[in-house]
Amino acid sequence: MSKNSFRKPIKPLGKTKKSWLNPFAFIEQKLDISGLLGEQVPVKLVPPFLYAAFLAMLYIWSNHQAENTIRKIERTQQEVEDLRADVTTLEAEYMFSSKQSEVAKKIQPLGLVEIEEPPQRIVLEK
C-alpha cells in the first residue's frame, strides 16, 4: 500500500515573507498581537469580542440618530418661531386695515362714501 500524503506540501507556520499589497497583512504587521495571544487566536474569545463590537456599533449609531433628531427638532422650532412671528404681523395688519376709518380711506378713490346717518328700519304691516 501507498502512504497517505497531501498533494501540496504544508508550509510551516513561521514568519513568512508578507506582501505589501495585502492590506490585511499590513494591519497584521502593525498590530502584532501574537505576543499577547500566541500564534493563534483562542476561539472562545471570538463571540464575546464580536458581541462587544456589535454593542459598540449600536451605541455609536444610537448617539448619531439622537444628535440628528435633536438637530431636526431645533430646526423645526426655529421655523415655528418664524411662522408665529409672521402670523402675528399679518393679524396686526389685518386688524388695522379692517378698522372703519381705514376702510373709508380705501374706498374713497372708488367714489363710495361712508353713510353718516344710521340705516332706517322698514316695517311692513300685514
Side-chain angles (χ1 to χ4, degrees), residues 15 31-40:
K15 298 267 181 172
L31 299 175
D32 189 22
I33 58 169
S34 62
L36 297 172
L37 300 174
E39 289 297 319
Q40 297 176 350

Side-chain angles (χ1 to χ4, degrees), residues 5 10 15-16 20 26 29 34 39 42 46 58 63 68 87-88 90 96 101:
S5 63
I10 298 175
K15 298 267 181 172
T16 60
W20 286 101
F26 178 75
Q29 181 184 9
S34 62
E39 289 297 319
V46 173
L58 186 66
N63 281 341
N68 281 345
V87 165
T88 305
L90 290 173
F96 180 74
S101 59

Side-chain angles (χ1 to χ4, degrees), residues 5-31:
S5 63
F6 293 107
R7 291 185 182 180
K8 295 181 184 177
I10 298 175
K11 296 180 182 177
L13 291 175
K15 298 267 181 172
T16 60
K17 188 175 181 180
K18 296 178 182 169
S19 170
W20 286 101
L21 298 176
N22 187 356
F24 296 110
F26 178 75
I27 292 171
E28 183 181 347
Q29 181 184 9
K30 294 299 178 187
L31 299 175

Side-chain angles (χ1 to χ4, degrees), residues 103-113:
V103 172
K105 287 179 189 176
K106 288 179 183 177
I107 62 170
Q108 260 183 350
L110 299 174
L112 299 174
V113 288

Side-chain angles (χ1 to χ4, degrees), residues 39-52:
E39 289 297 319
Q40 297 176 350
V41 176
V43 176
K44 66 181 182 180
L45 294 180
V46 173
F49 176 75
L50 291 177
Y51 180 70

